[in-house]
Amino acid sequence: QVQLVESGGGLVQPGGSLRLSCAASGITFSLYDMAWYRQPPGKQRELVARITAGGTTSYTDSVKGRYTISRDNAKNTVVLQMNSLKSEDTAVYFCNAHHNTNLDFWGQGTQVTVSS
């Protein structure tokens, strides 16, 4: 049984930081590209950051320089460090695991709210 469990969401003031974690089980974690998506209220889900099985990272333009994605294959964990948060970063954040055989798994999501 595959599980992706996100944690670390919450309420933060503009300019603050949050650290999201995603713990994976039931997959050979090191073989999967891992990503964070987000879905703002009333909008489509969008890709925020990705780290490949080989460790290559990429980010959507709006978070470049503010967010950092990293993975720990020994702990089956992917982390999204979010700094200088803005109100427009408010969304439900989802962890995704993607294998090159087109297998995709999703976490349940964690709410991030940026507000004063």
Side-chain angles (χ1 to χ4, degrees):
Q1 179 184 358
V2 178
Q3 282 193 308
L4 300 178
V5 180
E6 301 104 334
S7 60
L11 173 64
V12 64
Q13 292 187 341
S17 297
L18 280 176
R19 180 181 172 92
L20 304 184
S21 293
C22 172
S25 60
I27 59 173
T28 306
F29 183 79
S30 61
L31 299 182
Y32 281 73
D33 296 343
M34 299 300 297
W36 288 94
Y37 286 72
R38 67 185 179 187
Q39 187 164 14
K43 296 186 178 180
Q44 301 269 28
R45 190 175 298 190
E46 62 177 355
L47 175 63
V48 175
R50 173 180 283 128
I51 184 166
T52 68
T56 300
T57 59
S58 57
Y59 302 89
T60 192
D61 285 346
S62 62
V63 308
K64 283 180 181 176
R66 301 189 297 122
Y67 287 17
T68 303
I69 188 170
S70 60
R71 65 189 297 157
D72 185 337
N73 288 343
K75 295 181 179 179
N76 288 4
T77 300
V78 60
V79 169
L80 185 68
Q81 177 66 44
M82 306 185 295
N83 299 327
S84 303
L85 283 162
K86 307 175 181 180
S87 58
E88 51 263 44
D89 295 318
T90 295
V92 179
Y93 284 70
F94 296 89
C95 178
N96 168 264
H98 175 78
H99 191 269
N100 60 15
T101 57
N102 280 335
L103 282 174
D104 269 287
F105 301 102
W106 294 89
Q108 81 286 353
T110 186
Q111 177 69 47
V112 171
T113 302
V114 184
S115 175
S116 55

